[in-house]
Amino acid sequence: MGDYATVVNTGPDLPERTFERIIGDSSALESVLEQVEQVAPTDSTVLIEGETGTGKELIAHAVHNASQRVGRAFIKLNCAAIPLDLLESELFGHEKGAFTGAIAQKIGRFEMADKGTLFLDEVGDIPPALQPKLLRVLQEQEFERLGSGRTHKVDVRLVAATNRDLVKMVARGQFRSDLYYRLNVFPIVLPALRERREDIPALVTHFVKMFNRRMGKQVDSIPPETMAAFQWYSWPGNIRELQNLVERAVILSRDGVLPNPLHKRQTELMNPGVHRTRTFQSSMTLEDSDRALIVETLEQAGWIVGGPRGAAAKLGLKRTTLLAKMRRLGISRPIHQEETAFPGISQEDA
C-alpha cells in the first residue's frame, strides 16, 4: 500500500499543506485532509475508519507528519496479523521467562513509540481480554510488561484504524464501549474509491509512472477506453486493487500503450445486469467514453435513474451524482413521437 498516493495538488487555499504521497483533489479527499489538519497539532486519539485498501495507514502517517511529533518514532502494529496469545507481548513487551519461549526481554510497541505515534491497524481485532489493558494505557499512559510488576510511563499519541463496524461490535458485546469511546475521540472516515472516481485518472497516471521506473518500461499512452474502464469499475478492493491492476497492465503493455487489465468477467461485475453491445473507439475522448457508457447503462435500465435496478446503482454511483453527470454531459431521455413519458421514471429523475 505504501506507494499509492502522492500529493499533486495541495490546493490554493492550503499552501502550507505537505501531505506527501496522497494523490487527488476530489472534495471527498479534501474533506479528509482538512480533518487531518485540524487534529494533527493536538495529541488527541484518532480513529480512522474505512474499507480495506482505502489508505488508512497513509492517513495515519499524515497525522504524524503534520504533528509536533514529526521526527519522532512512528510505530505501527497490525492487530489482525499477530496471534492472539502474542498480541499482549507485542503491545506491552515481556520480561525474560515471562512465559514459555520468552528467552529474552522484549520491548513492546508502546514503549518503542514513547514521545512519538503508535498506529494500531485493525484495532477491532483486539480480543476482549486485552481491551481493558489497552484502555488503561490510553487513559493513564502507563503499563507493565508481561512478567514484571514495574510500571512504565509513556507519552504516546495513538492513531487507530479499522474496517469493522465498532458500534455494532459494542452492541454485540464484542468490543468494550468505554474503549470505543476512548478511541473515537476524533473519527476520520475514508471514502471508498468508488466515492472519489474523479481521482482515478491521477492515481492511474501516478501508478503507471511508478511502475515504469520500477520495471524499466516506457508506457506513455493510456487509451480512453482503458481509462474509462478504470473509472467505471466498482473497485471492491479500492486503491490497493487499482494499484495491483495497473501493475499488471504495465507488465502486459506493448508499444508504450497501457492495455485494459479488467477482464470481461470483472467488467460484468462492475455493472451487474448490464451486457455491453458497444465498444469504445480508440479515437473517443474520455468524456465521449463516459457519455457512451452512461447512455448504454440508462438504456439497459429502461432509463430509470434511481432505485436498486436503476442506472445509478448499476454504475456504482449515487443517484444525485449520476444526474449531475448527465446534466454536465448533456444526456437526456429520448422523446419518441408516440410517447410523452416512460413508465417507471419519475419527473424528479428526469
Side-chain angles (χ1 to χ4, degrees):
M1 290 178 56
D3 288 332
Y4 65 61
T6 298
V7 164
V8 293
N9 182 5
T10 59
D13 56 331
L14 297 170
E16 301 299 323
R17 184 152 67 203
T18 55
F19 295 134
E20 296 182 356
R21 298 164 52 208
I22 299 177
I23 280 184
D25 56 7
S26 63
S27 59
L29 183 60
E30 284 294 309
S31 176
V32 167
L33 296 184
E34 287 172 6
Q35 292 177 73
V36 171
E37 282 192 321
Q38 291 172 332
V39 74
T42 75
D43 275 337
S44 297
T45 300
V46 177
L47 179 61
I48 304 171
E49 301 173 280
E51 296 178 9
T52 298
T54 49
K56 294 186 284 295
E57 184 177 331
L58 284 177
I59 296 303
H61 270 287
V63 171
H64 175 73
N65 291 338
S67 74
Q68 296 180 354
R69 295 173 183 258
V70 64
R72 302 279 187 170
F74 179 88
I75 305 298
K76 58 185 180 181
L77 177 66
N78 186 329
C79 300
I82 306 297
L84 298 183
D85 56 343
L86 297 180
L87 185 56
E88 183 175 1
S89 174
E90 287 293 329
L91 287 171
F92 307 119
H94 64 251
E95 299 293 344
K96 180 179 179 180
F99 51 85
T100 302
I103 59 176
Q105 184 188 74
K106 176 182 176 65
I107 303 299
R109 303 302 172 96
F110 270 99
E111 212 166 338
M112 294 167 61
D114 191 26
K115 303 297 190 299
T117 302
L118 175 61
F119 173 54
L120 293 184
D121 199 5
E122 304 303 344
V123 72
D125 286 75
I126 292 181
L130 192 53
Q131 292 174 20
K133 295 186 178 183
L134 177 59
L135 177 62
R136 180 198 171 198
V137 73
L138 293 181
Q139 291 178 333
E140 309 295 337
Q141 292 279 292
E142 63 181 31
F143 65 93
E144 289 84 34
R145 294 183 194 144
L146 281 172
S148 171
R150 179 187 169 192
T151 298
H152 294 267
K153 299 286 292 187
V154 289
D155 174 15
V156 173
R157 200 265 180 85
L158 183 74
V159 178
T162 183
N163 62 5
R164 305 180 68 175
D165 190 330
L166 295 185
V167 173
K168 290 183 178 179
M169 291 181 67
V170 169
R172 293 193 296 262
Q174 298 172 333
F175 203 85
R176 289 178 63 108
S177 60
D178 49 4
L179 177 57
Y180 169 71
Y181 294 127
R182 188 63 186 79
L183 291 172
N184 198 43
V185 174
F186 194 93
I188 297 178
V189 180
L190 301 192
L193 185 56
R194 61 184 173 275
E195 297 169 351
R196 43 177 291 216
R197 293 179 187 273
E198 56 267 51
D199 289 335
I200 290 177
L203 286 163
V204 171
T205 301
H206 168 71
F207 290 143
V208 168
K209 291 179 179 178
M210 183 180 77
F211 290 119
N212 274 343
R213 292 193 302 269
R214 290 185 180 180
M215 301 177 189
K217 303 273 280 190
Q218 191 59 44
V219 177
D220 51 19
S221 175
I222 305 176
E225 61 269 25
T226 297
M227 187 65 80
F230 278 126
Q231 283 196 286
W232 292 108
Y233 179 54
S234 60
W235 298 112
N238 292 293
I239 305 175
R240 183 184 295 127
E241 183 182 12
L242 173 63
Q243 177 177 339
N244 292 341
L245 280 176
V246 172
E247 181 177 7
R248 180 190 306 172
V250 172
I251 293 172
L252 296 172
S253 65
R254 295 181 179 178
D255 302 321
V257 178
L258 190 76
N260 177 8
L262 291 161
H263 299 303
K264 180 179 179 181
R265 180 175 178 275
Q266 291 173 300
T267 305
E268 290 173 351
L269 285 174
M270 83 177 180
N271 291 309
V274 175
H275 301 284
R276 281 182 171 71
T277 56
R278 302 175 184 173
T279 57
F280 295 112
Q281 302 301 316
S282 59
S283 61
M284 294 175 71
T285 66
L286 183 58
E287 185 173 278
D288 290 336
S289 299
D290 286 353
R291 183 182 292 105
L293 179 59
I294 291 173
V295 169
E296 181 173 350
T297 306
L298 285 164
E299 290 175 348
Q300 294 287 344
W303 286 85
I304 298 174
V305 175
R309 298 183 180 179
K314 294 178 183 293
L315 291 168
L317 297 174
K318 294 181 180 178
R319 174 184 159 281
T320 52
T321 301
L322 178 55
L323 289 172
K325 285 181 175 289
M326 290 171 62
R327 286 192 292 270
R328 179 172 60 82
L329 296 171
I331 299 172
S332 60
R333 294 179 300 166
I335 303 298
H336 301 293
Q337 291 182 354
E338 70 275 15
E339 295 178 331
T340 59
F342 289 80
I345 305 179
S346 68
Q347 292 299 314
E348 183 181 11
D349 281 344

